[in-house]
Amino acid sequence: RKQATIGYLEQIPTISDNDITVKDMLMSSFFEIHAIEQRMRALEQDMMHNNVDEAILNKYAKIQDQYIALGGYEVEEKLNKVITGFKLHSILDKPFAILSGGQKTIINLAQLILTEPDILLLDEPTNHLDQEIKKALAKAIKNYSSSAILVCHEPDFYQELVDHIIKIENCNF
């Protein structure tokens, strides 16, 4: 559809900020939810210290409806599910910049899954991954509720995951 969102997983993950941690990366998936939550908290503070009228209550209700629609109350649950599924507990506080290529790939995939795009576009997602993480990746893709497009050279990985295979050979783009 026209407004479909696309989440792209690069072959070689890059990030310029050396101080950003794994947890920061994952939490950035909820940027819009956090912005709405801050607006709610500001209105709550305003209502505690000032007269509350119907206009402010209506404004708060509208903002809270947005928060609910975006899954604001499920952020912790979603985050914990991804952290557990990809076994990220031990690296949450580590800087993203020092991680291995496989770890960076998994963090970027986890971040994409948390943003819930309509289409996942995964470019060689198995690069630098060990078998255990490949299994976690396959499970995440299999359980993903929207569409996923894989560019992959590992039939053993994708055979059980896909409905359609398009093989492209000898193309000059």
Side-chain angles (χ1 to χ4, degrees), residues 5-9 109 112 118-125 141 144 146-152 157-158 161-166 168:
T5 55
I6 297 174
Y8 174 61
L9 180 70
L109 178 64
L112 283 177
D118 299 312
I119 301 167
L120 281 177
L121 179 56
L122 308 176
D123 189 4
E124 296 292 347
I141 294 169
Y144 194 68
S146 294
S147 299
I149 299 171
L150 300 171
V151 176
C152 187
F157 176 77
Y158 65 74
L161 295 175
V162 300
D163 296 326
H164 297 79
I165 296 174
I166 300 171
I168 301 173

Side-chain angles (χ1 to χ4, degrees), residues 85-86 129-141 157:
F86 286 118
L129 303 184
D130 63 29
Q131 289 298 28
E132 185 178 353
I133 296 299
K134 282 183 185 179
K135 285 179 185 175
L137 171 61
K139 183 177 178 184
I141 294 169
F157 176 77

Side-chain angles (χ1 to χ4, degrees), residues 152-153 158 165-173:
C152 187
H153 295 94
Y158 65 74
I165 296 174
I166 300 171
K167 186 175 182 178
I168 301 173
E169 291 183 34
N170 302 323
C171 287
N172 296 320
F173 289 109

Side-chain angles (χ1 to χ4, degrees), residues 38-65:
Q38 287 176 338
R39 289 174 42 214
M40 285 172 50
R41 300 301 164 244
L43 276 174
E44 288 167 2
Q45 289 297 315
D46 190 35
M47 288 188 287
M48 282 176 40
H49 301 298
N50 298 310
N51 290 335
V52 179
D53 63 16
E54 192 172 335
I56 290 176
L57 289 174
N58 288 337
K59 185 176 182 179
Y60 185 84
K62 192 180 248 186
I63 292 170
Q64 188 177 38
D65 287 345

Side-chain angles (χ1 to χ4, degrees), residues 73-102:
Y73 292 112
E74 291 90 38
V75 166
E76 285 299 316
E77 180 185 346
K78 288 178 185 177
L79 185 62
N80 288 331
K81 205 176 202 180
V82 166
I83 290 169
T84 301
F86 286 118
K87 299 175 175 56
L88 302 175
H89 296 318
S90 64
I91 62 170
L92 284 176
D93 295 322
K94 290 188 177 184
F96 182 79
I98 68 163
L99 300 178
S100 71

